[in-house]
Amino acid sequence: MLKKLYILLLMLFMLFSFVDAQRLKSTGKIRNNGKGKIKVEGALESKDNGAVIENKGKIIIEGNANINQDTLGGYVEYNWNENVAFQYVPSLFYKNVSFFGTTKKLLDTTYKRNFVAGDTLFVNNDVEIRTDSSHYIYTQGRVTHNGHINKTSLKGKLIYEGDDIQNVDGTGEYKELEMNNPTAAKVINQGGFSVVTSLELKKGEFQNTDSTNFIMGNKSKIVRHVGASIAYEPQLEGQISVTYKGTGSLLTGPEIPKGTADLANLEISNSDTLFLDRNVDVNDTLRVNANVVTYEDTLSLRNRLNPLYGASPDIEIAGNFRRTVIEVGDTILLNNKYTFALFESIEDKGDLAELTFHILPLTQPVNGNKKVTRRINITGKDIAGNEITDKFKMQFRYAWRHNPGEAVDETNGLKVDELVLQRWSDNNWINFKSDKPFVLSDESWAYGVSSEVNSTGIFAIGGPDFEMIVFRAKVMLEGPYRTGNFATMAMDLNKRNEIPLTPPNNQYPYNLDPNLPTVNAIPDSVVDWVVLEFRKEKVNAAERFFKTAFIRYDGSVVGIDGSNDVMFDYADGIDSGGGDYYVFVRHRNHLMLRTQNPLPLYPDNNDVFYDFSANGNLVEGGVQSLKLLDIDKDGNRLFGMRGGYEFNTPEDDFRFTLDDDRLAAYNEFTQIGYLWGDYNMDGIVNTRDFNISWNNRIK
């Protein structure tokens, strides 16, 4: 009997381009050989043992389907326009599947299979697909979605999970969309679809552009995992939220909205660190379950709610954290759960409308030793955005990691009971009256409280007896000096962007300093790098230390910020409390300058200014070891370091020789850049450089 039924059906398929039936039920095998199509106007069933539908062409189903098999090939179209509750759609693997018609499509999960679209999924305009929250729609290829998934619900997930790039488009509405394709999903044909509840980026890149984009609904959420990303900021219907998850570190991207009012909630729950590559403004809830590093950008919390920190004591925000609502009478939690500010009254708050705390853990303060290795910088603004520096009174609880012998320890071997809050002012640290610090042994933190913070600025946690040592000096270089601009040097290398952010550690004199600095940008006023050497004895190089600094256009020798004087901490190697030191000034293509006598470098001498350009008595060899650069109308003479290589001397071991000096300009002739033979430092080597070097070889 089954054999006869099979032969009859096969003959019908060959004779007609489609088969019409009020009900098509298979108890054996139904085969579409691809030469026509099967149109089922009633129900399609394949549920008995051994029943199989093989399709290499097209099946159009205008009714309910009950198919007990895992895969259905070819093209399958569900298209029904009857006034009934649902058209039942079996969950199985379809090679190509489309949905048309006004009847809602209900995914039938009776057989506990997933609904998977292999090559294509097409959902026509106004088609609604219904599925329960525990069963998802999986797609592995092309997707065009113009309809709805669970129109009246917030649940209903569709997942991109192909191995190759998936092209996606349509103007429909997703409730939950998941990107789980390790290659990519690419929005094409202008996109236009919307995501109502959530977009979860698990694997691969979601490739959208300004012209091929999609819409995130109001109050929707983007969840980004380690190993996934989005190429361009989606269009926003309103505020969205962002969550970070996964194992490892992440760098923020276009999932963070550009507008300051567009991000409602931010949850940071990846296992390692979140690095910010842009400003991030949180308007509602901030949950911090992993470390955050802001670098030069700022994380802002724009409401009175405090951030919610995770249980781990290691969690904090390293860098800029801004609070834009200053609540009176309540703690304003800052870069970690142990640090906060408090204003007791409106009068104490003054005109402050926002505060930014720049806190860097495990970082030695720039201006001194005997400090907890944690940098703190506080800035404030009023409601108009003007900077506020004083006229307020803030209680500040400052905290640091205290775990002696461990890598996270910041106490730096100092006595905890003696540590107070300090502010840098006029080349000195000013102590604030502070409560005796308290140690949280179980959490490896310590904190102190000062109730009298009345100004912004650079802060540190240090010993009350600390005094800073400052070196203030002026040195001119022959090469960049231009006659007619008295006491100023040209900044040609700076203007050409040729000065490196880190001095080359394989070249003299930078190879002498084991702690070369790096800057993010060369300050506008800088001429070049110089290396300072400090020795207890002039000819004994055993006890010496180095400090690499900048020389400005006016000859000022300054720290790496380009403006402040050179300041020392114990990490530089200077004796505690200071000492008498011979000072050597070294430049890469000018002859070395060194002092005739040791200079007293003590806190009491911080205001002493050493002008090597005007006082030859400071320099060994006097004015004979310098170059007369200029004389002004009043007869004042200006001296500078001579242009040319430094040669070997008995107490020093430099690798340069007379031949190096002779060949430097020749070898680099007509070259452009940061060059050793560029003695006049204009960025190009030419005959002017030959003259400078030649004139100084016998000096």
Side-chain angles (χ1 to χ4, degrees), residues 257-277:
K258 295 177 182 177
T260 58
D262 292 336
L263 181 62
N265 307 305
L266 177 63
E267 179 180 342
I268 304 161
S269 293
N270 54 302
S271 67
D272 205 327
T273 304
L274 176 69
F275 296 92
L276 268 58
D277 72 339

Side-chain angles (χ1 to χ4, degrees), residues 69-109:
Q69 61 189 66
D70 293 331
T71 301
L72 189 54
Y75 171 84
V76 179
E77 179 182 305
Y78 289 92
N79 190 343
W80 207 16
N81 292 285
E82 292 295 322
N83 187 23
V84 295
F86 299 107
Q87 181 182 19
Y88 287 88
V89 177
S91 288
L92 57 120
F93 180 92
Y94 297 88
K95 187 173 180 61
N96 301 282
V97 61
S98 296
F99 294 97
F100 291 85
T102 57
T103 308
K104 296 180 178 68
K105 318 303 178 189
L106 179 64
L107 298 191
D108 186 354
T109 58

Side-chain angles (χ1 to χ4, degrees), residues 272-293:
D272 205 327
T273 304
L274 176 69
F275 296 92
L276 268 58
D277 72 339
R278 64 198 62 210
N279 293 328
V280 178
D281 295 86
V282 181
N283 291 274
D284 196 342
T285 303
L286 173 62
R287 297 180 183 273
V288 187
N289 298 310
N291 287 323
V292 180
V293 176

Side-chain angles (χ1 to χ4, degrees), residues 310-323:
S312 171
D314 298 328
I315 296 172
E316 60 179 318
I317 300 167
N320 298 317
F321 183 43
R322 179 170 60 166
R323 300 297 307 267

